[in-house]
Amino acid sequence: MNLIYNLKQNNPDILSCLANLSNDEVFTPPKLANEILDTLPQNLFSSPDTKFLDPACKSGVFLREIAKRLIKGLEPIIPDLQARLDHIFHKQLFGIAITELTGMISRRTLYCSKDASCEFSVSHFDDEQGNIRFNINSRHRFEKGKCVFCGASQANYESSDRETHAYEFIHTPKPERIFNMKFDVVISNPPYQMSDGGSAGGAMPIYQKFVEQAKKLNPKYICMIIPSRWFAGGRGLDEFREKMLNDITIKTIVDYPKSRECFEGVDIAGGVCYFLMERDHNGACNFTSIIGNQINTRERILNEFDIFIRYNIGVDIIHKIRKQTKKFMSSIMEAVSPFGLRSFVRGTEEAFDDSVTLISSAGRSYIKRSGIQKGKNLIDKYKVVIGYLNPDRAGVNNASDGKSNVTTKIAIYNPGEVITETYIILGSFDTIYEAKNCASYVATKFLRFLVFLTLSSMHITKLNFQFVPIQDFTKPWTDEELYAKYNLDAAEIAFIESMIKPMEI
């Protein structure tokens, strides 16, 4: 039997070589699947009664690796191999495929045949799907142009001549009715996002919906690997973040800020993490951050802050800062689009009466001062500015030294100059001297590290400066002064220096 052969041999594993479907639907390498399975109590694999569900099968790797553990763990209870296989495949392992193709792949992985009812299946079923089902009739339910279950655009997904991505598990109000049974473990690597029907390839997260549906099943354990973007919330994730941070059943989180260190060759803004929810757990979470060879583990209270700080040493630094100040940069910064000028706004090439200089991604042009309806009090001030986009894509940084810029280059714009929403204003001042001192502060690794702690998307807003203390801008600032002011120790300084690139104004 192919399955038993794979258990006994060290041949290359085909599931380690599969090309990913996309950055939205990523195959799980067997090594990673086993790391996630290791977070579960191992006695689960010695019980003939434990039931496992993967509600988003792609390659079937979770079910296969669980099967390997059960085959070994149940040997003393069910000595006959074929009887053991039949019991495991019929009574313990269940899956829901995300597409018809991944259903076939998953059945081939688990049963050694895409048809579970044929002679080549290692355990015979009466129908070809076995316990890995794909419901071809699962559909979006559209209201006002959006799916009520997942938010998919009707214009994008209504057509019957393309894959609808109407994932069965999240397209029902009662997921428990799919198999009509109680599961002990729900484990998966769900799809991450879907196109929202907007321009420029806009997408909305959907992985949180798989977590929420899994909770409805009330299993003893939930294990999933998902993007870490929920740490700081964002589009469609604020409510999910709040629920997760206040969920005392989360026992373990393992975080990879750089997704390539988890999924080779895959860039996911904000990184990825896997977690274990244990229904009977009530307390702190064992949180591990993995960056290259640096592995840092600590017990954490997830809701200590409004967002989750993924670096344990960063929490220590924030505590030291908060002992000395209660005033932070987010309180003096301007909101997105401080002058109400969209990124596509352009002016004339020549100045004219009542004109101000417009700074946009296309360069300099001139627009009417009287036409600016927002931020009028800022027009005649010196403005310290950075770009709205995070140049490292929220931790997707493949630089050889592993260090991040965090922000784009810092600029100081003069009185009579305004900006589009492509940029954000960090501070506005009456004198160039104060503006330069503020810019010197923004250029420090200390400040950019504190912003770095909050990043979860490709954009920077004032909320990313919520841990950055306000300084006295009647003087310039250096990292050495800031390290001393907040009593950072050698390890904390070394960590900041290892993470953040130097920057010139």
Side-chain angles (χ1 to χ4, degrees), residues 27-38:
F27 283 121
T28 312
K31 180 177 180 294
L32 177 61
N34 278 292
E35 287 179 15
I36 297 172
L37 289 173
D38 286 344

Side-chain angles (χ1 to χ4, degrees), residues 229 232-234 269-270 390 392-395 454-460 464:
R229 211 169 300 169
N390 162 243
D392 304 305
R393 294 185 57 214
T454 69
L455 292 177
S456 64
S457 75
M458 295 173 63
H459 299 121
I460 295 177
N464 296 115

Side-chain angles (χ1 to χ4, degrees), residues 1 3-4 47-48 67 70-72 74-93 121-125:
M1 292 181 183
L3 177 67
I4 308 308
S47 169
L70 288 171
I71 289 168
K72 181 178 179 180
L74 296 184
E75 186 173 7
I77 302 171
I78 310 175
D80 181 77
L81 177 59
Q82 187 58 54
R84 195 156 73 247
L85 293 175
D86 289 340
H87 177 84
I88 291 168
F89 293 147
H90 285 256
K91 303 293 185 181
Q92 294 189 269
L93 300 181
S121 175
V122 296
S123 184
H124 180 78
F125 287 82

